[in-house]
């Protein structure tokens, strides 16, 4: 297995335990630069991209280029090697959705000039590139539209809601709620998501269409904060800050396509997933 990462938002620490494995090698590189890989490649998972709004907005041009030029480079590599290719796309392609829950047929409601556009439109363009390469017989490309996913090894401070709330609670700090907290999200545990990605890469024939992967159980951010407080035993207060621009009020995947094509559905409930994530951060905050 070859891991390519520029460590923009990932950490070396997360792959350190693999460094002694002879089947694992690490290339520190930006996917915007053309990749030179010797030998055969069977499958390419294109996961490269900052994924939390503060981090992908920090250098929006780089985010857009990662999605577009990075995906083009990895598709070109897939073409040269005859490898299968999977794009980690996102529910953000639906923007501020007028349809609920979101099926893959829904074409979305993205503000193409707003601060989230570098990511949303970047991923939409990456999907276009993937399906063009597929249609022209140049790459066996598959596209997963991932909805909010969480779990151990997230960064503690990248602005994503689950890690934010857990770390604030564990530190005894106030919990930050953006807006009223009545906006909803559907949270998928990382092990479920990975099973879905692997199943989508493996399925034959190529579905030829994007596949939503996420957990359809929808909760409000206030409910999530309550669960974090209950599970950590923290006495933190909730502090409300203004909602960021273009923050979608509702998000829930329709996963019928994933279920029909892949036999996939999430197995880890929020209760268990939050416990595992809280346990991870308890350790990580003590010995980073
Ligand atoms: N976690 C989610 O909720 C979620 C939802 C939708 C889509 N996704 C997508 O899934 C993928 C993985 O997300 P994640 O949550 O694991 O985020 P992450 O930040 O943990 O992982 C992204 C990885 O890509 C690397 N990277 C970023 N830009 C790069 C570049 N130009 N060249 C090389 N490496 C680069 C980062 O260093 C990091 O290791 C991303 O593409 C993201 O857009 C994630």
């Amino acid at each position: 297995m070859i891991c390519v990462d520029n460590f923009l938002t990932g950490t070396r620490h997360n792959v350190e335990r693999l460094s002694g494995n002879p089947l694992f090698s690490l290339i520190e590189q930006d996917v915007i630069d053309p990749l030179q890989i010797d030998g055969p490649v069977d499958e390419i998972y294109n996961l490269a991209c900052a994924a939390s709004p503060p981090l992908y907005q920090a250098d929006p041009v780089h985010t857009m280029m990662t999605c577009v030029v990075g995906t083009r480079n990895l598709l070109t590599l897939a073409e040269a090697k005859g490898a299968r290719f999977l794009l980690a796309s996102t529910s953000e392609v639906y923007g501020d959705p007028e349809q609920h829950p979101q099926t893959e047929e829904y074409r979305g409601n993205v503000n193409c000039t707003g601060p989230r556009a570098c990511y949303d439109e970047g991923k939409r363009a990456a999907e276009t590139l993937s399906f063009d390469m597929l249609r022209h017989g140049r790459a066996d490309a598959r596209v997963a539209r991932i909805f909010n996913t969480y779990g151990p090894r997230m960064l503690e401070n990248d602005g994503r809601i689950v890690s934010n709330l857990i770390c604030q609670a564990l530190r005894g700090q106030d919990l930050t709620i953006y807006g009223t907290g009545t906006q909803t999200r559907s949270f998928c545990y990382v092990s479920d998501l990975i099973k879905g990605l692997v199943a989508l890469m493996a399925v034959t024939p190529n579905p030829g269409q994007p596949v939503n992967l996420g957990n359809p159980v929808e909760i409000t951010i206030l409910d999530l904060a309550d669960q974090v407080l209950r599970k950590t035993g923290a006495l933190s207060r909730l502090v409300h800050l203004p909602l960021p621009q273009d923050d979608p009020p509702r998000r829930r995947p329709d996963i019928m396509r994933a279920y029909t094509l892949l036999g996939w559905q999430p197995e880890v409930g929020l209760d268990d997933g939050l416990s595992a994530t809280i346990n991870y951060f308890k350790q990580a905050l003590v010995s980073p």
Side-chain angles (χ1 to χ4, degrees):
M1 179 186 289
I2 304 167
C3 169
V4 178
D5 202 311
N6 65 353
F7 295 113
L8 181 69
T9 58
T11 65
R12 277 178 200 77
H13 184 62
N14 281 344
V15 288
E16 244 161 34
R17 73 209 151 91
L18 298 168
S19 61
N21 186 331
L23 298 177
F24 179 79
S25 62
L26 178 65
I27 300 174
E28 186 168 344
Q29 197 196 304
D30 197 310
V31 293
I32 291 175
D33 302 322
L35 283 137
Q36 185 64 47
I37 308 271
D38 298 328
V41 176
D42 300 323
E43 297 177 344
I44 299 172
Y45 288 85
N46 179 13
L47 298 161
C49 194
S52 84
L55 296 187
Y56 71 62
Q57 289 170 22
D59 186 348
V61 174
H62 183 260
T63 300
M64 188 77 168
M65 292 303 115
T66 295
C67 292
V68 178
V69 180
T71 298
R72 194 271 314 268
N73 285 341
L74 292 168
L75 280 164
T76 305
L77 182 68
E79 181 180 25
K81 301 286 186 182
R84 283 192 190 174
F85 173 90
L86 186 146
L87 171 69
S89 184
T90 172
S91 57
E92 299 292 336
V93 299
Y94 301 124
D96 180 358
E98 302 130 314
Q99 176 188 302
H100 194 79
Q102 292 82 51
T103 60
E104 292 88 344
E105 279 85 19
Y106 177 52
R107 292 188 183 174
N109 178 34
V110 172
N111 174 3
C112 70
T113 57
R116 298 172 79 102
C118 57
Y119 184 75
D120 304 4
E121 295 290 0
K123 293 284 189 179
R124 287 170 72 100
E127 289 199 12
T128 304
L129 285 168
S130 302
F131 285 111
D132 280 338
M133 292 286 275
L134 175 66
R135 257 190 302 273
H136 285 258
R138 294 176 57 185
D140 182 351
R142 291 121 197 273
V143 171
R145 290 186 179 154
I146 302 171
F147 285 64
N148 287 63
T149 298
Y150 70 100
R153 298 182 191 281
M154 296 176 83
L155 289 181
E156 67 181 71
N157 54 359
D158 73 356
R160 288 195 244 194
I161 188 69
V162 174
S163 44
N164 243 17
L165 294 178
I166 290 175
C167 292
Q168 287 174 331
L170 290 176
R171 291 187 171 118
Q173 296 168 343
D174 294 342
L175 303 195
T176 312
I177 306 290
Y178 294 95
T180 59
T182 52
Q183 68 272 32
T184 65
R185 294 292 184 273
S186 309
F187 295 103
C188 185
Y189 190 65
V190 62
S191 61
D192 280 334
L193 193 265
I194 289 168
K195 284 180 191 163
L197 294 177
V198 170
L200 179 54
M201 183 67 103
V203 73
T204 50
N206 184 322
Q209 47 192 357
V211 178
N212 285 343
L213 293 177
N215 191 318
V217 177
E218 181 183 2
I219 66 162
T220 67
I221 299 304
L222 286 177
D223 281 343
L224 176 68
D226 276 349
Q227 293 206 36
V228 169
L229 289 177
R230 185 172 47 76
K231 293 176 87 63
T232 55
L235 300 171
S236 312
R237 294 176 313 146
L238 305 187
V239 172
H240 291 261
L241 292 181
L243 205 58
Q245 188 187 335
D246 297 334
D247 195 61
R250 298 186 78 187
R251 250 319 144 62
R252 172 151 67 97
D254 181 313
I255 58 165
M256 188 49 76
R257 184 176 287 175
Y259 186 68
T260 309
L261 290 175
L262 314 175
W264 178 87
Q265 61 185 333
E267 291 164 359
V268 182
L270 189 60
D271 195 51
D272 289 339
L274 278 182
S275 296
T277 311
I278 288 168
N279 285 340
Y280 165 77
F281 277 115
K282 274 184 184 163
Q283 298 291 323
L285 295 185
V286 176
S287 50

